[in-house]
Amino acid sequence: MNYYDQHLHTFLSFDSEEQFENYLGNKPEFFVATDHFDLENAGTGFKDDIPDYAILTKKLAELNEQYDTTFLRGIELGVVPGQEAKIQDYLASHTYDLKLLSIHQNGKFDYMDDIVLTKDKFAVAKMYFDQMAEVLESFPDGHILTHFEYGLRRFDFTPEELESRFEKELISIFKKVIQRELAMEINAKSFGRYQNEVLYRYAIPLYQSLGGKLFTLGSDAHVAEDYRLLFPEMANLLREFDVKQLVVFQGNDRFYTDLP
């Protein structure tokens, strides 16, 4: 099995209009879209953004008849403390092969909203990391912890600031990730658009020092042109830290593949 993109979005996400077929021009052996699930989403006026499962099921059945690709069901779960039971109730009746665990918003604002620029950057980062730690403790589902630095993107942070101000919080987070056997994602948007490669250079060896071994690459594509975005560059970063394999999740199974 070759490694395939485990983080991308289609028209079933509130912030994408991309069609499945446009991704399939890459002729992947496996394909999984991970569309956004965010309850009371601060980024969209506190609406429940839930990908239409019936449309997903119908679409994958149609594509299965047309392509040799193996199609999987994926979802990106944005979790705010207090929503855990409602999300678990939804998952109990909707089957997914891949579940990404994300922190996007806190019930008041999305961490990418302009309002964060009116706040102290260290206070925002503390709020974000505390929320992540709480969710990792209270929400038991998921395969991959995505873009660990999402809540820092509107600011300039240095590795030295993370180490001096938030290493305690990150150690707690990574210990929970390892205990739950989640994977740490290297995210192409983080790496490229938001120029946070240096934060990964700090976080990867910290995660490894605690026993972390599971890594994934995710393009976080919202358009087909970004499929497998920056995979060679992100794989080379992992090689610097002696990472040789990535993990792929398919339901209760996981498989290991060589770095692309």
Side-chain angles (χ1 to χ4, degrees):
M1 178 192 302
N2 294 321
Y3 186 78
Y4 54 91
D5 202 334
Q6 291 187 96
H7 190 165
L8 52 87
H9 298 273
T10 74
F11 68 91
L12 295 175
S13 287
F14 67 87
D15 56 355
S16 175
E17 298 179 357
E18 194 57 274
Q19 299 296 315
F20 284 75
E21 290 85 351
N22 293 334
Y23 286 110
L24 296 172
N26 297 285
K27 298 181 179 179
E29 179 184 3
F30 294 89
F31 180 85
V32 59
T34 53
D35 286 300
H36 283 296
F37 179 106
D38 288 272
L39 299 179
E40 300 177 29
N41 188 0
T44 60
F46 301 97
K47 297 187 301 180
D48 286 347
D49 289 307
I50 301 174
D52 193 308
Y53 193 81
I55 292 177
L56 173 65
T57 299
K58 182 174 183 288
K59 188 67 180 179
L60 294 186
E62 292 171 354
L63 294 171
N64 194 52
E65 295 294 321
Q66 302 172 39
Y67 295 86
D68 292 331
T69 297
T70 297
F71 292 95
L72 305 168
R73 290 183 175 90
I75 193 166
E76 182 178 3
L77 301 164
V79 184
V80 174
Q83 298 178 347
E84 295 92 341
K86 190 172 181 180
I87 298 172
Q88 286 180 262
D89 286 346
Y90 177 86
L91 294 175
S93 58
H94 299 78
T95 302
Y96 291 95
D97 302 293
L98 175 63
K99 288 170 274 192
L100 308 184
L101 182 58
S102 299
I103 306 298
H104 295 128
Q105 53 111 7
N106 61 11
K108 297 178 181 178
F109 56 83
D110 189 288
Y111 289 99
M112 288 291 292
D113 287 347
D114 288 345
I115 192 173
V116 303
L117 299 178
T118 68
K119 302 178 183 298
D120 177 76
K121 75 174 191 176
F122 297 115
V124 172
K126 182 70 163 62
M127 184 186 311
Y128 172 72
F129 287 136
D130 284 351
Q131 179 180 341
M132 184 179 291
E134 183 176 351
V135 167
L136 285 166
E137 189 69 35
S138 64
F139 184 74
D141 217 330
H143 295 104
I144 299 168
L145 179 67
T146 64
H147 39 52
F148 88 98
E149 48 55 81
Y150 180 92
L152 284 58
R153 286 178 174 178
R154 296 302 304 272
F155 304 104
D156 291 325
F157 273 91
T158 66
E160 293 76 20
E161 287 172 327
L162 288 192
E163 182 177 16
S164 63
R165 296 239 182 191
F166 300 109
E167 186 156 281
K168 179 181 176 181
E169 286 82 358
L170 286 168
I171 286 174
S172 176
I173 286 167
F174 291 150
K175 282 183 175 179
K176 294 177 193 296
V177 168
I178 293 162
Q179 180 181 20
R180 292 183 47 182
E181 297 186 304
L182 303 177
M184 178 183 180
E185 178 196 65
I186 314 302
N187 181 278
K189 278 189 175 178
S190 306
F191 196 88
R193 180 182 302 178
Y194 297 105
Q195 298 294 296
N196 281 334
E197 176 185 349
V198 292
L199 302 187
Y200 281 94
R201 288 185 176 276
Y202 162 71
I204 290 168
L206 178 61
Y207 169 69
Q208 290 176 312
S209 73
L210 301 168
K213 298 178 180 178
L214 302 180
F215 291 93
T216 67
L217 305 180
S219 68
D220 204 351
H222 287 64
V223 293
E225 305 93 87
D226 287 344
Y227 181 75
R228 293 174 61 89
L229 180 68
L230 298 177
F231 272 30
E233 293 85 349
M234 294 190 295
N236 284 336
L237 173 64
L238 288 176
R239 287 188 181 94
E240 290 183 28
F241 297 100
D242 202 32
V243 177
K244 296 180 172 60
Q245 290 186 315
L246 301 173
V247 62
V248 167
F249 295 95
Q250 297 182 3
N252 292 326
D253 297 321
R254 67 187 186 194
F255 306 92
Y256 296 92
T257 74
D258 293 334
L259 287 171

